[in-house]
Amino acid sequence: MNNKSCCQNVNKCIECTVTQCKYHNNTENYCTLDKIQVGTHEKDPKMPSCTDCNSFVLK
Ligand code: SF4
């Protein structure tokens, strides 16, 4: 595939605003990984803030 117009392999299926992550695209709010793992740090998650991206790696 030849899709290098703007950004390094952004995954348009994974929107993300965590700019501190090394997998965040710097110019658009997308992840660059093919897939991510989402988990929770709560016993009984009830809202978005209860969930985590476990694929996060600090830049
Ligand atoms: S790995 Fe998770 S936190 Fe990092 S850019 Fe992708 S979706 Fe965002």
Side-chain angles (χ1 to χ4, degrees):
M1 294 220 274
N2 198 2
N3 190 18
K4 296 178 181 168
S5 55
C6 155
C7 311
Q8 41 167 357
N9 302 321
V10 301
N11 185 340
K12 296 261 171 158
C13 294
I14 307 176
E15 284 189 74
C16 181
T17 58
V18 185
T19 55
Q20 295 84 356
C21 179
K22 79 181 266 193
Y23 298 120
H24 182 270
N25 182 269
N26 291 318
T27 54
E28 290 187 282
N29 281 330
Y30 291 103
C31 184
T32 56
L33 294 177
D34 289 341
K35 65 175 183 178
I36 61 167
Q37 184 190 75
V38 176
T40 182
H41 52 273
E42 303 281 350
K43 283 195 167 79
D44 188 19
K46 298 260 193 255
M47 59 188 75
S49 60
C50 298
T51 64
D52 308 294
C53 177
N54 288 332
S55 301
F56 171 89
V57 173
L58 185 63
K59 260 183 195 162

